[in-house]
Amino acid sequence: MIIWRGWGVLAAVTLFAGLLGANFLVDAIAGDGTYAENSLVFGGIGLAVGGAATYLLARWLDARNPPRRLVDPATGEEVVLHARNDLFFIPMKYWGFVGIAGGAVMAVAGLLGF
């Protein structure tokens, strides 16, 4: 079961799109089967690109919906409402960091021959 709030599900979509885009792009440029032979390197690069796209998308969504301050006229108490975009209770921008770090680890592992 996937749990998300707001546009948080887009984190999974953009990370997967980075992997899928790398697959199609590498095979289109270098020929069929190239991605499969070097899947750790190219998959890691695609995941890192997807992570960067996830982070930028999360920042754009946060800037598009700034926090709203509400004041209770009777008590003067202030409440701040934030738009939340989470996937599995983790904010979307942190999924971008996970994608970048995971992609870097995959690419380095592929280059080292693991």
Side-chain angles (χ1 to χ4, degrees):
M1 175 174 15
I2 297 177
I3 303 168
W4 75 85
R5 180 178 10 199
W7 290 101
V9 72
L10 289 179
V13 171
T14 54
L15 290 172
F16 182 71
L19 286 169
L20 193 62
N23 186 350
F24 288 138
L25 187 65
V26 169
D27 280 347
I29 292 173
D32 288 338
T34 305
Y35 180 87
E37 292 171 5
N38 303 302
S39 61
L40 276 179
V41 175
F42 294 123
I45 293 169
L47 185 61
V49 169
T54 301
Y55 177 76
L56 292 174
L57 180 61
R59 293 291 306 251
W60 179 76
L61 287 170
D62 288 344
R64 194 173 140 231
N65 296 316
R68 293 178 40 194
R69 298 187 185 285
L70 304 176
V71 179
D72 184 359
T75 63
E77 184 178 351
E78 185 175 294
V79 177
V80 179
L81 300 176
H82 297 274
R84 309 267 320 226
N85 300 306
D86 301 342
L87 179 65
F88 294 114
F89 308 108
I90 299 171
M92 191 172 167
K93 65 181 175 183
Y94 297 129
W95 283 108
F97 295 136
V98 169
I100 293 169
V105 168
M106 280 177 61
V108 169
L111 289 172
L112 295 176
F114 287 107

